Amino acid sequence: MPVSSILLATTKDDKSTDLIKLLEDLIPETRMFPGCIDMKILRNEEKPNDFVFSGVWKSASDYQKYLEYRTNQGVIDKLGNLLSSPPEIKILCNTNI
């Protein structure tokens, strides 16, 4: 069953541009990763250091495989260096309502 992934992240005050540059390189590959149906990066207009990574995956295990892949590449550590606190990750399923 498809699931949605939500990652909430806040960058350090001077790191938003660095995050955007990193994501411009990474997100095209993410969209081609096995199991990825969709991936969007959203930015809060009122708080430009706040980002939401919104994905749709064929399954929760596909998303976990993607996270493992990015962790093994060192991307998660790079991301962590840009953030003011650890990201919050949620895996959500459709309630069909």
Side-chain angles (χ1 to χ4, degrees), residues 1-3 33-36 57-69 91:
M1 167 185 356
V3 298
F33 195 85
C36 182
W57 298 84
K58 288 182 182 176
S59 69
S61 66
D62 285 329
Y63 182 64
Q64 291 300 327
K65 289 174 189 171
Y66 170 73
L67 283 180
E68 289 173 20
Y69 171 71
I91 307 292

Side-chain angles (χ1 to χ4, degrees), residues 4-95:
S4 294
S5 63
I6 304 292
L7 185 147
L8 306 173
T10 301
T11 62
K12 296 174 185 171
D13 286 337
D14 60 343
K15 298 298 182 182
S16 291
T17 301
D18 294 340
L19 177 64
I20 290 169
K21 288 178 184 175
L22 178 65
L23 294 175
E24 286 173 342
D25 291 337
L26 296 174
I27 295 304
E29 182 183 4
T30 299
R31 291 183 179 125
M32 295 185 336
F33 195 85
C36 182
I37 297 170
D38 189 32
M39 177 60 67
K40 292 183 175 68
I41 306 300
L42 308 169
R43 188 177 193 182
N44 187 328
E45 281 190 18
E46 295 175 0
K47 296 179 180 180
N49 289 351
D50 290 352
F51 292 82
V52 175
F53 301 31
S54 175
V56 179
W57 298 84
K58 288 182 182 176
S59 69
S61 66
D62 285 329
Y63 182 64
Q64 291 300 327
K65 289 174 189 171
Y66 170 73
L67 283 180
E68 289 173 20
Y69 171 71
R70 290 301 193 194
T71 299
N72 293 337
Q73 283 187 317
V75 170
I76 302 303
D77 288 337
K78 287 180 188 176
L79 181 65
N81 290 332
L82 301 175
L83 301 181
S84 62
S85 61
E88 183 178 350
I89 299 174
K90 298 177 186 270
I91 307 292
L92 308 166
C93 61
N94 190 339
T95 62

